[in-house]
Amino acid sequence: MVNQDNQTINPSKNFVLPFILLLLSRMSLHGYELSQKLEAFGFKTLDQGNLYRLLRQLEKDELLSSEWDTTGSGPAKRRYSITKAGLTYLKGYANQLESYQSLLDQFFKMYTSFFELYIPSFHKKDPIEKVNIKKRRNNDGTEEK
């Protein structure tokens, strides 16, 4: 999705799932901590309500588990952890993303070659090229400059 205000592209909200599982495969986190880490990945427009609904759904699907954390000051907080089924799902998702990456690589090769054909590139002369130009000779034996 493109943000019209500053022309940045925000990752799809459906794409957040593998990032949640990946983060929780490293350590258990509170929802707020998870939200902050997702924002660092680039999910800047993720709504907190949607995140907590997704976490509850992942728990229903048995990909995550949660427990109340009563340590520390303040109210109890939910701490989320990945389950064995979640790890299996993450591995499968990573394999799918790897295949998708191959498609993206092909796309960008084709995209780049398209622009090289139809849009003239800016030609920058480097020092080596300048030396080679000075050394070129015409058919009549005179140096080309």
Side-chain angles (χ1 to χ4, degrees), residues 2-109:
V2 176
N3 180 336
Q4 297 299 327
D5 296 335
N6 59 10
Q7 296 297 312
T8 59
I9 296 176
N10 298 317
S12 164
K13 289 179 180 153
N14 295 330
F15 196 57
V16 73
L17 173 64
F19 284 90
I20 289 172
L21 295 175
L22 180 63
L23 288 166
L24 293 176
S25 73
R26 303 288 180 182
M27 66 186 87
S28 62
L29 295 166
H30 297 126
Y32 181 75
E33 294 170 319
L34 185 57
S35 172
Q36 295 298 305
K37 291 187 181 300
L38 288 169
E39 190 173 319
F41 270 123
F43 294 95
K44 307 240 184 267
T45 60
L46 186 63
D47 177 73
Q48 294 297 312
N50 287 338
L51 174 61
Y52 285 102
R53 280 188 285 283
L54 179 57
L55 290 171
R56 281 194 296 277
Q57 184 59 51
L58 292 173
E59 200 167 4
K60 281 183 186 176
D61 295 340
E62 299 181 353
L63 300 177
L64 300 181
S65 65
S66 69
E67 58 186 25
W68 287 105
D69 182 2
T70 57
T71 61
S73 62
K77 301 174 191 169
R78 280 243 187 262
R79 182 171 286 280
Y80 297 90
S81 302
I82 194 168
T83 62
K84 187 174 181 181
L87 286 170
T88 301
Y89 187 87
L90 175 61
K91 185 176 180 181
Y93 208 112
N95 288 335
Q96 286 179 334
L97 289 175
E98 190 172 23
S99 297
Y100 192 58
Q101 179 65 47
S102 174
L103 290 172
L104 287 173
D105 289 343
Q106 290 176 10
F107 170 82
F108 283 112
K109 283 179 188 173

